[in-house]
Amino acid sequence: MSEDARLLANHRVHVVPVVLALANPPWQRDVWLNPSAFEGLDHVFHTLFDDFCDADEPERYLGVSLRSDEEVGLMRQLGAALTAAAAEVPNDTDAVFLQASVWPEVVAVAGRLAQVMVTNDLRELAELLDDAAVPDPCQTVRGTTGISGGQVGGEPGSGTASPQITPAIPPEHP
């Protein structure tokens, strides 16, 4: 793996979960409003504006924590929505922040960005896999599990499997 790929992976392992959290209001209430939880909006702002991205100027993070121009554009929109929420409720608690009138916009943009980021990560993962390393399900030998190649039934080496059927027993009624 190249150093650039390592840097991108290291940044995304922080950015993607934060974007997913912003897209999930029930999770926000369960975690951010829990006084014993470590994570809150401070963590979100540090991750997206200071530590692993700059949501105000995300172009600088293309290839560092963002994979595509679409991600850059959506991160800019997310940054603007978060900044608008912060301006509406300056220096307030996470609970009040989640009540900001622009918070639904934060959630909506985060949802779109999360979908794009996860899709891009899955596409990258698929490209990394060698087609030969992924078994073709149509080539699985009958009578094998398809995972280990071991027999699931029948005679060893016969290539056929005997069905494993358990009869259904109706429950007794009083």
Side-chain angles (χ1 to χ4, degrees):
M1 176 181 275
S2 72
E3 284 303 312
D4 289 342
R6 285 183 199 279
L7 178 67
L8 184 63
N10 182 50
H11 277 63
R12 284 182 81 87
V13 79
H14 296 281
V15 174
V16 172
V18 166
V19 172
L20 289 168
L22 284 169
N24 189 338
W27 189 90
Q28 294 164 12
R29 288 187 298 272
D30 290 347
V31 175
W32 294 347
L33 303 184
N34 179 349
S36 65
F38 163 75
E39 190 173 328
L41 280 168
D42 283 342
H43 173 72
V44 168
F45 276 90
H46 284 293
T47 299
L48 296 182
F49 288 91
D50 302 326
D51 300 336
F52 299 100
C53 194
D54 180 353
D56 289 326
E57 296 181 32
E59 296 81 8
R60 300 179 316 151
Y61 283 84
L62 182 60
V64 177
S65 59
L66 303 171
R67 289 192 189 278
S68 68
D69 289 332
E70 184 178 18
E71 288 182 9
V72 168
L74 288 167
M75 182 60 77
R76 179 177 290 288
Q77 289 177 30
L78 181 58
L82 285 167
T83 300
E88 185 178 322
V89 290
N91 303 320
D92 226 319
T93 65
D94 289 358
V96 174
F97 222 101
L98 298 180
Q99 299 302 314
S101 66
V102 296
W103 197 253
E105 177 67 15
V106 170
V107 172
V109 174
R112 290 192 300 274
L113 178 55
Q115 181 179 13
V116 170
M117 292 182 92
V118 169
T119 298
N120 287 344
D121 285 350
L122 291 173
R123 185 175 297 122
E124 177 70 17
L125 180 61
E127 289 174 8
L128 290 173
L129 294 174
D130 180 19
D131 288 341
V134 179
D136 181 353
C138 296
Q139 300 300 316
T140 304
V141 176
R142 183 181 172 101
T144 66
T145 64
I147 298 170
S148 66
Q151 292 284 0
V152 291
E155 297 297 317
S158 70
T160 62
S162 57
Q164 303 295 318
I165 300 173
T166 305
I169 301 172
E172 293 184 25
H173 296 286

